[in-house]
Amino acid sequence: QVQLEESGGGLVQAGDSLRLSCEASGSPFNDYKVAWFRQAPGKEHEFQAFISWDGFRTFYRDSVKGRFTISRDNAKNTVFLQMNSLKPEDTAIYYCAADRAGFSDQLYWRRDEYEYWGQGTQVTVSS
């Protein structure tokens, strides 16, 4: 059992940057795969970025490649999402999701690959 808490969201202007954090507690975090999803108003959860338990593998949604960077510091039980060049269409609630690493890492974009979810942090980008 692991608990996740996101932070770092806020209101910014187009072109600005934000760094989101996902802090885990309740269990060692170094064997968990982690992904960021977002949910815009009226839309489904949408995969954004993935990082393997050891940080070796990362994957991104095409629309955020080159702008977003996922990283982790297992010593601090924290995963980060650095978001640069933000656009109004990035406005959404951003969720951290995690599960134990395994062969299913090949389906990293699927919501059902992650058992544990945080409550989300709001990101709003004005034009």
Side-chain angles (χ1 to χ4, degrees), residues 93-110:
I93 302 174
Y94 284 73
Y95 297 92
C96 176
D99 210 338
R100 294 188 181 275
F103 298 121
S104 62
D105 292 1
Q106 299 176 74
L107 304 176
Y108 55 84
W109 65 91
R110 294 175 60 94

Side-chain angles (χ1 to χ4, degrees), residues 43-127:
K43 296 184 178 180
E44 299 179 358
H45 289 78
E46 181 181 78
F47 168 80
Q48 300 299 304
F50 165 90
I51 189 165
S52 61
W53 68 273
D54 58 359
F56 180 75
R57 297 168 64 225
T58 59
F59 299 100
Y60 299 91
R61 185 178 186 87
D62 285 345
S63 62
V64 304
K65 288 180 179 177
R67 297 193 299 124
F68 291 8
T69 302
I70 189 170
S71 62
R72 68 190 301 163
D73 186 343
N74 285 339
K76 298 181 179 179
N77 282 357
T78 303
V79 170
F80 305 97
L81 185 67
Q82 178 68 43
M83 305 187 296
N84 298 328
S85 302
L86 284 164
K87 305 174 181 179
E89 51 263 43
D90 294 320
T91 295
I93 302 174
Y94 284 73
Y95 297 92
C96 176
D99 210 338
R100 294 188 181 275
F103 298 121
S104 62
D105 292 1
Q106 299 176 74
L107 304 176
Y108 55 84
W109 65 91
R110 294 175 60 94
R111 292 178 60 195
D112 58 7
E113 290 294 302
Y114 304 95
E115 181 176 358
Y116 305 104
W117 292 75
Q119 296 299 307
T121 184
Q122 177 70 50
V123 172
T124 302
V125 185
S126 63
S127 59

